[in-house]
Amino acid sequence: MRIALFVTCLADTMFPEAAKATVRLLERLGHEVVFPAGQTCCGQMHINTGYQAQAIPLVRRHVRTFEPYDVIVAPSGSCVGSVRHQHALVARRGGDERLASRAESVAGRTYELSELLVDVLGITDVAAYFPHRVTYHPTCHSLRSLRVGDRPLRLLREVRGLELVELPAAEQCCGFGGTFAVKNADTSIAMLADKMRHVLSTGADVCTAGDASCLMHIGGGLSRLRTGVRTVHLAEILASTEQGGSPGGRGELVVRT
């Protein structure tokens, strides 16, 4: 299958390993991944902060860039949620019905990574190896907007060496919320404190999620407290493999993360 990578702003500028891992994983599964160079911000930040008119040129560019592709994937529930639920709405409110129709078509072919793997490719075991105790945070957009449900958990349960532990109060927001964390810093920090407390209670050494933005928020807090717990994007875990080994099976173990 030929799959277009919608990299997202945050992955492109701050967390490229999540995007690279998405490519490695899909190529390992036998698919061709292409990167449309014309892509820019999808406009989610503008839309969520009330600048809908300013978002329309970004929506138009996104549609034009990804229209030629039958399948589009992004390592981000929030950006896929924006494409799926906001693009056509914004175009329609701006009086551009043709753009709205085109946006709906592109949105129908756009998937968050776990959706693509489970629903489109029909796979939960991606032959990954990640020998760590891991807890999973279901980000708000993936949980409530995309309704990915247990797809990420089904993928994680099949990873060799991984011990998956349940996160208490998992459905509670981590407090990031994009510009919410800036405009409402005190509330955001209080919500983050609750999330970190729950993460630490699991005894996990890794917290994972499908959105780099939430992992940035949680990881920043855990790092400042010197907890030793790190955050790793779901794509990076699924792309990790056990490699090496002599003909006798006693070679060096190399874990790619």
Side-chain angles (χ1 to χ4, degrees):
M1 182 180 291
R2 190 165 183 258
I3 302 169
L5 174 65
F6 166 31
V7 70
T8 79
C9 296
L10 205 60
D12 184 43
T13 57
M14 298 183 67
F15 299 98
E17 287 306 316
K20 293 177 183 177
T22 300
V23 174
R24 287 200 308 273
L25 170 62
L26 293 175
E27 287 183 343
R28 191 175 79 223
L29 294 174
H31 302 282
E32 178 188 2
V33 182
V34 296
F35 180 79
Q39 61 183 289
T40 58
C41 175
C42 67
Q44 178 191 178
M45 180 178 67
H46 304 68
I47 298 168
N48 289 347
T49 50
Y51 294 93
Q52 294 193 11
Q54 289 81 355
I56 292 177
L58 295 170
V59 171
R60 185 174 291 110
R61 185 181 184 93
H62 184 89
V63 169
R64 183 173 66 246
T65 301
F66 287 99
E67 223 166 14
Y69 302 97
D70 293 330
V71 177
I72 303 138
V73 67
S76 167
S78 65
C79 293
V80 171
S82 181
V83 168
R84 195 174 294 174
H85 299 294
Q86 294 180 329
H87 276 195
L89 176 65
V90 167
R92 198 162 277 126
R93 284 179 177 174
D96 195 335
E97 184 59 40
R98 182 171 181 273
L99 177 60
S101 178
R102 293 167 62 202
E104 287 174 340
S105 178
V106 170
R109 307 194 298 274
T110 303
Y111 301 92
E112 179 267 343
L113 180 60
S114 71
E115 290 181 316
L116 176 73
L117 292 169
V118 176
D119 297 344
V120 180
L121 303 183
I123 185 171
T124 54
D125 187 348
V126 298
Y129 177 76
F130 193 78
H132 297 280
R133 184 178 173 93
V134 177
T135 194
Y136 168 72
H137 165 60
T139 65
C140 290
H141 284 90
S142 63
L143 181 71
R144 297 175 175 86
S145 177
L146 297 183
R147 300 186 182 277
V148 300
D150 68 344
R151 293 172 182 84
L153 294 171
R154 289 162 64 186
L155 291 160
L156 289 169
R157 290 186 187 115
E158 298 292 342
V159 176
R160 276 74 166 166
L162 186 149
E163 179 187 357
L164 183 63
V165 289
E166 183 177 355
L167 179 65
E171 296 186 0
Q172 289 183 7
C173 176
C174 71
F176 178 63
T179 55
F180 173 84
V182 178
K183 295 180 177 180
N184 303 275
D186 291 343
T187 303
S188 173
I189 291 170
M191 296 170 73
L192 173 62
D194 287 341
K195 181 60 64 174
M196 290 192 296
R197 176 167 51 83
H198 293 312
V199 169
L200 293 173
S201 75
T202 67
D205 50 275
V206 171
C207 175
T208 191
D211 276 272
S213 54
C214 298
L215 291 175
M216 175 178 66
H217 190 56
I218 297 169
L222 293 171
S223 175
R224 287 190 294 274
L225 292 179
R226 302 183 185 277
T227 63
V229 180
R230 61 193 176 109
T231 52
V232 179
H233 194 284
L234 175 66
E236 295 178 73
I237 292 178
L238 299 180
S240 300
T241 58
E242 180 181 358
Q243 294 190 347
S246 68
R250 298 177 60 85
E252 180 184 4
L253 177 65
V254 179
V255 180
R256 299 189 179 276
T257 61

